[in-house]
Amino acid sequence: MADTGEGKKEEADYKRLHSFPLIRHTDMPEEMRVEAMELCVTACEKYATNNESAAKMIKETMDKKFGSSWHVVIGEGFGFEITHEVKNLLYMFFGGSLAVCVWKCS
Amino acid sequence: MPPKVPYKSQKSQGGQIGPAVKPVQSRTAKSISKKRDEDASTEVGEGADEWTPSKTLLKPPDQLELTEAELKEEVTRILTANNPHAPQNIVRYSFRERAYKPISYVDQLAIHFSLDGNLLLRDSDEGRRQSARVCLEPELAPVESTVIEVEEAEVKEEGSKEDIPAVSTEEAAEGEEPPPPLLKEQKLTNQFNFCERASQTLNNPVRERECQMEPPPRATFSATANQWEIYDAYVVELQKLEKSKEKEKQKPQVSKKEDKQRGRKLTSLESQSDDVSKVTKAAKIVERMVNQNTFDDIAQDFKYFEDPADEYRDQEGTLLPLWKFQYDKAKRLAVTAICWNPKYKDLFAVGHGSYDFMKQSRGMLLLYTMKNPTFPEYIFSSESGIMCLDIHNDHPYLLVVGFYDGNVAIYNLKKSHSQPGYKSSAKSGKHTDPVWQVKWQKDDLDNNLNFFSISSDGRIVSWTLVKNELVHSDVIKLSVEGTTMEGPEGLQLQTIGCGTSFDFHKKIDYLFLVGTEEGKIYKCSKSYSSQFLDIFDAHHMAVDAVSWNPYHMKVFISCSSDWTVKIWDHTIKTPMFVFDLNSAVGDVAWAPYSSTIFAAVTTDGKAHVFDLSINKYEAICNQPVVAKKKNKITHIQFNPIYPIIIIGDDRGHVTCLKLSPNLRKMPKEKKGQEIQKGPEVEIAKLDKLLNLVREPANKPAK
């Protein structure tokens, strides 16, 4: 029982602690990075259950703000190899279980 | 216009009312061609300018309707050469017959319209030539061309008509002789004021330009996202965060203090840098006050101390050391020139450089004031060593400086630049060897500043400052030619020509003396550039300084590294006095207050002060003035007012010394009687002495 209690506590802790956006890799300039990160957070929170919609929202907003063509991948587990334009890549984790990869390549 | 005449025939008849010959001719030719190719011309005309709407004729409503037969009927009309409007009864007064006489001649010519056509008669020479030119083309071509020409002519005609709105009927009729297409009328318009014109604007030409830009750089990136990776990343990040938090907890107390300190420092620094310029003057005053306190005893000595021991000494005097001037950055640089400022008696300039050929480095120009012995008033540094300098008499802020590299430059103390205001260059005739002496001259006729310089390259150059530019002109070249004039001795003197010093006569403007490295002294004139007025075989080694006596116009002094100081009368070739000082003499200077007193400095560190009126054979003061014996004294200068001298040595120190009463005394007996006649007394005093020497010298010569 104690174990499970501790486990639950840990899980809660884990969820609480690991909810912040963690940028894993990016080569964006400062302003763009902040904006893109906030956008990803908003999208993932808005469409917590639908990665597709979140990705769509991120992509469209990025297209508007920084010109086409942006690509977005959101998921809990995936491997990828992409070609991106330099200074236009953001790979971040969010919410403890989501990985978001945003890049531009036209 | 006769209404009965149908359109076609009217054409052939042209100007009916007046016998206008010219238009008739051209028109007939035109109409002939038109009739011939009526059909062709309709087509061609249309084809040629489809965009021009065809002309339509307006029939007057009262025009007779004629049948075809009537139209084809030939109507004969006889043209007369009479102008119906011409007056028939002109009467003029004839002076010959003294009566009014009718004039028989009447001018029948009336021109209603004239136009120089651009048509050619086919039969004319020009026409044939043209048709021959185009004969290569199909037969129809010439025909076409004529038709087109006709139409062009008509267009022109109309253009001219447009300008004149009031068109006479005749002209209108003529304008109405358009090409046959008019027969196919479609629209009725007023022929008199209707006019259609068309034009085509230029189409902008189309150009193609291409360029290709480099595609934006790309990179590839790959990663795997799965739960454990994400988890690990978060854990690592959290650990980092915790660590940094701990550090921050430790830091803040310390850093706060630091910040405060920094803030203080910053504010103090800022305030300093802001106010430095405002405070300069005050700071300077305070600095001088502090110095005055520090060196109070010296200042007292300078002003009031008179060595009481002099009373008990017979003739000899002493030198009392006062301030010592030195500057860290000029420590290793020998004093190569010193000069008092003529206006500010406490200010003097010191040139630093090196006399050692092997150890040449930078140079430095410092200006000290006696009010602040610790730090120079002005500091200028230069790349090359300074060898000599002079301050302008009328503009005490202008310093001319001669460098070891042969350049001369003018520094302006008024300007805060660290660089000279004007400087010679290799282009503008700089010396090729060290400049040994420079001297300001009076402004020339155009009021330009000018100075002279002498160098061991044998040139004496006059520099003039013309419109911010240094212009040079060689006054004298101490050349081989000048020396060969000497005759047999010249052979030995082939290499001479190295001037080391010069001095200009105080009164005689053109006269000056030049001392050379070979020990000769030349008496020169500014007006003779190739000849010397006189040559003195003065010394066995380089002449270090020559100087005219400030009172006596004939006397000058010279010193040399051959240990001797000699006094000369410039009219006599042998020296008046010779003094051997047992060491190379670096500099010699006349006292400004007496004609018989002078001081010399030797490289063994001693200063020698002579008063000829007291002792003709020995110095009345012979005193080592530098601390270490190795120090060589290089220069000496009397202050023009105070009884002090400044002495420079080769370690960069300048020492100020006070002359004891014995060294500057006027005989006490004379004080009451003749003190006012200063200059004359001085001259007489020296003359007396010279006479003593001269007579025995002259007698044996005779």
Side-chain angles (χ1 to χ4, degrees):
Chain A
M1 284 299 283
D3 280 342
T4 50
E6 274 180 17
K8 271 180 188 175
K9 205 184 176 186
E10 269 187 7
E11 206 179 320
D13 263 5
Y14 171 77
K15 281 212 168 169
R16 184 173 54 81
L17 287 172
H18 292 194
S19 59
F20 64 90
L22 170 62
I23 292 179
R24 192 79 178 127
H25 179 90
T26 184
D27 57 357
M28 285 180 178
E30 173 76 24
E31 270 182 47
M32 194 183 191
R33 184 179 65 219
V34 171
E35 200 162 326
M37 193 183 77
E38 278 172 3
L39 174 67
C40 292
V41 172
T42 326
C44 291
E45 279 171 354
K46 191 176 178 185
Y47 303 103
T49 51
N50 191 343
N51 287 345
E52 196 182 332
S53 308
K56 195 178 177 187
M57 176 185 170
I58 293 170
K59 184 210 150 47
E60 279 171 0
T61 319
M62 290 300 279
D63 276 355
K64 265 185 213 162
K65 280 186 178 164
F66 302 106
S68 59
S69 325
W70 287 86
H71 312 268
V72 182
V73 176
I74 300 179
E76 294 193 352
F78 56 90
F80 60 92
E81 164 123 7
I82 54 160
T83 300
H84 64 96
E85 281 176 22
V86 171
K87 306 242 171 197
N88 286 299
L89 169 74
L90 175 72
Y91 177 49
M92 59 177 277
F93 298 147
F94 174 69
S97 59
L98 273 185
V100 184
C101 186
V102 184
W103 76 96
K104 179 176 175 172
C105 183
S106 39
Chain B
M1 197 196 299
K4 274 189 184 174
V5 180
Y7 170 63
K8 261 189 203 167
S9 53
Q10 185 198 337
K11 232 192 286 173
S12 59
Q13 279 160 7
Q16 234 178 359
I17 296 166
V21 184
K22 242 176 154 182
V24 168
Q25 264 196 351
S26 64
R27 229 155 283 293
T28 43
K30 224 192 285 176
S31 58
I32 289 165
S33 70
K34 251 180 236 162
K35 272 177 193 168
R36 252 190 222 164
D37 334 295
E38 207 163 277
D39 293 355
S41 72
T42 48
E43 283 170 23
V44 174
E46 297 262 282
D49 26 15
E50 287 164 334
W51 44 273
T52 39
S54 57
K55 266 196 173 173
T56 50
L57 268 187
L58 189 67
K59 269 187 192 174
D62 54 344
Q63 189 172 346
L64 287 178
E65 293 289 331
L66 295 177
T67 60
E68 201 70 2
E70 277 172 325
L71 278 174
K72 278 181 181 171
E73 188 188 344
E74 298 250 323
V75 179
T76 340
R77 281 223 150 198
I78 298 165
L79 297 176
T80 61
N82 290 334
N83 182 357
H85 298 301
Q88 303 289 340
N89 47 359
I90 300 173
V91 173
R92 290 224 177 105
Y93 184 78
S94 163
F95 288 95
R96 199 172 52 187
E97 296 175 30
R98 299 174 178 240
Y100 285 97
K101 289 266 170 177
I103 286 170
S104 55
Y105 171 73
V106 176
D107 187 13
Q108 303 284 7
L109 179 67
I111 298 172
H112 298 286
F113 175 77
S114 72
L115 173 75
D116 289 330
N118 51 359
L119 299 180
L120 293 175
L121 276 177
R122 301 183 102 203
D123 300 339
S124 69
D125 288 351
E126 188 68 18
R128 275 189 203 128
R129 249 177 276 147
Q130 201 169 7
S131 55
R133 216 181 298 146
V134 272
C135 71
L136 290 174
E137 293 171 9
E139 272 193 11
L140 260 179
V143 176
E144 281 175 13
S145 68
T146 47
V147 171
I148 290 165
E149 276 172 2
V150 168
E151 283 185 357
E152 278 171 4
E154 278 165 4
V155 169
K156 273 188 186 170
E157 237 171 88
E158 283 192 357
S160 66
K161 262 186 239 163
E162 224 185 18
D163 297 338
I164 316 152
V167 197
S168 69
T169 45
E170 286 87 4
E171 281 171 16
E174 279 166 10
E176 275 172 33
E177 46 168 279
L182 308 182
L183 294 176
K184 302 178 191 169
E185 287 171 357
Q186 289 163 349
K187 202 166 47 167
L188 284 181
T189 48
N190 188 347
Q191 285 297 298
F192 298 105
N193 58 13
F194 182 81
C195 166
E196 272 183 302
R197 309 191 71 191
S199 66
Q200 170 87 46
T201 57
L202 273 180
N203 283 328
N204 285 329
V206 181
R207 271 186 212 155
E208 282 179 28
R209 304 196 79 184
E210 301 94 18
C211 69
Q212 166 107 39
M213 64 162 237
E214 277 183 26
R218 294 186 176 180
T220 52
F221 173 65
S222 59
T224 321
N226 48 38
Q227 288 308 302
W228 48 93
E229 291 230 345
I230 294 173
Y231 180 83
D232 286 351
Y234 271 106
V235 168
V236 169
E237 186 67 21
L238 281 172
Q239 278 172 353
K240 266 189 202 168
L241 276 177
E242 272 173 26
K243 272 185 189 172
S244 60
K245 268 182 194 170
E246 278 171 18
K247 275 180 190 171
E248 272 173 26
K249 273 178 196 168
Q250 290 169 354
K251 270 183 187 176
Q253 293 169 344
V254 188
S255 61
K256 268 180 194 170
K257 276 183 191 171
E258 276 178 358
D259 281 348
K260 272 185 188 172
Q261 280 176 345
R262 265 182 215 158
R264 267 182 218 156
K265 274 179 194 170
L266 280 177
T267 48
S268 63
L269 278 177
E270 276 166 12
S271 62
Q272 266 184 7
S273 61
D274 277 346
D275 292 344
V276 156
S277 52
K278 295 174 195 167
V279 184
T280 2
K281 208 183 172 187
K284 196 178 231 176
I285 291 171
V286 171
E287 189 186 11
R288 286 187 178 188
M289 283 165 67
V290 169
N291 272 308
Q292 201 181 353
N293 281 347
T294 326
F295 299 100
D296 182 48
D297 47 344
I298 295 181
Q300 297 287 344
D301 282 352
F302 161 69
K303 195 74 186 168
Y304 301 113
F305 181 75
E306 305 289 355
D307 194 350
D310 267 22
E311 297 276 343
Y312 308 104
R313 284 191 206 116
D314 206 10
Q315 295 160 335
E316 286 151 21
T318 52
L319 293 167
L320 174 71
L322 300 173
W323 302 279
K324 198 167 185 183
F325 302 89
Q326 62 188 73
Y327 181 55
D328 276 352
K329 287 182 183 169
K331 226 177 186 176
R332 297 287 168 80
L333 296 171
V335 174
T336 51
I338 42 182
C339 180
W340 285 99
N341 190 302
K343 187 171 178 194
Y344 304 100
K345 309 298 183 192
D346 58 302
L347 190 70
F348 62 93
V350 181
H352 289 276
S354 171
Y355 283 121
D356 195 334
F357 174 72
M358 299 299 288
K359 289 178 189 166
Q360 281 302 322
S361 59
R362 73 219 158 79
M364 207 147 216
L365 171 62
L366 305 173
L367 278 99
Y368 291 100
T369 168
M370 297 195 298
K371 292 169 182 168
N372 181 5
T374 50
F375 200 76
E377 204 75 354
Y378 297 92
I379 302 167
F380 302 95
S381 53
S382 61
E383 287 173 6
S384 175
I386 289 173
M387 300 310 285
C388 51
L389 62 87
D390 191 28
I391 303 179
H392 200 281
N393 244 340
D394 303 327
H395 310 283
Y397 53 88
L398 286 179
L399 267 84
V400 61
V401 165
F403 291 102
Y404 191 85
D405 63 4
N407 273 318
V408 292
I410 297 176
Y411 285 90
N412 191 340
L413 301 184
K414 278 185 173 176
K415 288 175 183 164
S416 51
H417 307 303
S418 59
Q419 290 306 310
Y422 313 100
K423 194 171 179 180
S424 68
S425 65
K427 277 185 208 160
S428 62
K430 70 158 196 144
H431 290 287
T432 49
D433 269 350
V435 184
W436 290 108
Q437 196 158 9
V438 286
K439 213 138 216 178
W440 284 105
Q441 297 294 301
K442 281 178 191 162
D443 290 1
D444 67 4
L445 295 175
D446 302 329
N447 283 330
N448 290 322
L449 297 168
N450 70 103
F451 62 89
F452 276 60
S453 65
I454 188 169
S455 157
S456 37
D457 65 356
R459 288 158 67 213
I460 295 170
V461 179
S462 158
W463 301 86
T464 314
L465 192 60
V466 184
K467 287 177 185 170
N468 298 336
E469 228 177 301
L470 276 176
V471 181
H472 79 285
S473 62
D474 289 9
V475 176
I476 275 195
K477 271 193 175 175
L478 305 174
S479 56
V480 182
E481 294 162 53
T483 59
T484 47
M485 280 172 57
E486 277 207 305
E489 283 167 330
L491 288 173
Q492 288 180 325
L493 303 171
Q494 289 293 325
T495 53
I496 80 153
C498 302
T500 52
S501 59
F502 64 174
D503 194 29
F504 289 85
H505 197 273
K506 303 272 184 308
K507 289 276 159 61
I508 308 167
D509 200 33
Y510 57 84
L511 196 64
F512 66 99
L513 296 166
V514 176
T516 62
E517 217 160 76
E518 297 73 34
K520 308 257 179 208
I521 293 177
Y522 299 101
K523 191 165 80 177
C524 304
S525 161
K526 285 182 193 170
S527 27
Y528 302 107
S529 62
S530 56
Q531 244 179 320
F532 308 116
L533 299 178
D534 225 335
I535 297 171
F536 303 92
D537 277 324
H539 294 279
H540 303 297
M541 289 176 79
V543 180
D544 288 327
V546 286
S547 176
W548 289 98
N549 188 286
Y551 294 96
H552 199 289
M553 292 305 132
K554 281 183 174 177
V555 176
F556 68 88
I557 196 168
S558 70
C559 71
S560 162
S561 311
D562 67 355
W563 298 10
T564 56
V565 172
K566 296 185 182 182
I567 294 175
W568 306 75
D569 180 328
H570 79 83
T571 54
I572 298 170
K573 279 216 162 192
T574 50
M576 300 281 102
F577 297 98
V578 179
F579 304 98
D580 196 320
L581 301 184
N582 290 327
S583 181
V585 186
D587 197 7
V588 70
W590 289 102
Y593 50 85
S594 169
S595 62
T596 53
I597 298 178
F598 64 89
V601 286
T602 49
T603 50
D604 59 358
K606 282 182 181 174
H608 309 258
V609 183
F610 290 82
D611 188 343
L612 298 179
S613 64
I614 289 170
N615 193 334
K616 292 198 289 284
Y617 307 107
E618 277 180 38
I620 53 172
C621 172
N622 188 344
Q623 189 176 330
V625 287
V626 283
K628 292 173 192 168
K629 274 212 164 177
K630 279 180 191 172
N631 276 15
K632 294 175 185 171
I633 304 184
T634 53
H635 283 281
I636 181 167
Q637 282 287 314
F638 279 90
N639 185 290
I641 287 192
Y642 306 114
I644 52 171
I645 51 172
I646 41 174
I647 284 172
D649 65 21
D650 67 349
R651 297 284 171 100
H653 306 302
V654 176
T655 317
C656 183
L657 300 135
K658 182 163 181 173
L659 299 157
S660 76
N662 269 357
L663 300 181
R664 54 194 155 93
K665 83 171 165 202
M666 322 284 149
K668 270 183 183 174
E669 306 85 45
K670 280 184 185 175
K671 231 180 188 177
Q673 303 160 8
E674 288 181 74
I675 198 152
Q676 286 146 342
K677 293 180 186 173
E680 284 129 57
V681 174
E682 294 298 339
I683 294 172
K685 196 164 73 176
L686 188 55
D687 251 344
K688 209 167 118 192
L689 281 169
L690 290 176
N691 282 335
L692 287 177
V693 192
R694 225 178 260 158
E695 278 159 19
N698 286 353
K699 272 172 192 169
K702 278 170 189 174

